[in-house]
Amino acid sequence: MAETDQNNEQAVHIEDDAARAGETSGRARWILIISTLIAIVAMSIAWIVPALQQDDVESAELASERVEEMREEGTPESEIPAVPTTQPSAPESRVGEPITE
């Protein structure tokens, strides 16, 4: 502990590394940053790759199977989510002929 003697104006000075009982090179910070980034990339790959390999037909089939299982278990129809059977289409245009005078 550094104390100053007011009468003699002498101070005890301790270097930063000795006071902290370690070094301040910053390597631990870089290791934590890099390992966090690696973990984020690895988890993203583990989630994205299987999602890309599953096409829309498989996804619709899985949803249909889940709905059938819920019906067999006796789940009320009001609690079963709707599963679209076809792709949604754009609404028809309702633009009429231009009015000319």
Side-chain angles (χ1 to χ4, degrees), residues 25-59:
S25 66
R27 277 187 240 144
R29 182 180 310 129
W30 283 108
I31 290 171
L32 289 172
I33 291 170
I34 292 170
S35 62
T36 301
L37 292 175
I38 290 172
I40 291 170
V41 169
M43 291 173 66
S44 297
I45 289 172
W47 173 64
I48 292 171
V49 170
L52 291 176
Q53 292 176 348
Q54 183 178 18
D55 61 356
D56 292 337
V57 174
E58 288 176 354
S59 178

Side-chain angles (χ1 to χ4, degrees), residues 69-84:
E69 288 174 2
M70 291 176 81
R71 285 187 179 131
E72 289 173 2
E73 292 172 355
T75 305
E77 287 292 323
S78 60
E79 295 180 12
I80 297 176
V83 179

Side-chain angles (χ1 to χ4, degrees), residues 1 7 13 17 20 22-23 27 35 37 40 51-52 55 59-60 65 67 74-75 77 85 94 97:
M1 176 180 240
N7 297 335
H13 181 73
D17 289 343
R20 292 183 189 146
E23 62 179 81
R27 277 187 240 144
S35 62
L37 292 175
I40 291 170
L52 291 176
D55 61 356
S59 178
E65 288 175 9
V67 167
T75 305
E77 287 292 323
T85 56
R94 298 186 187 264
E97 293 293 320

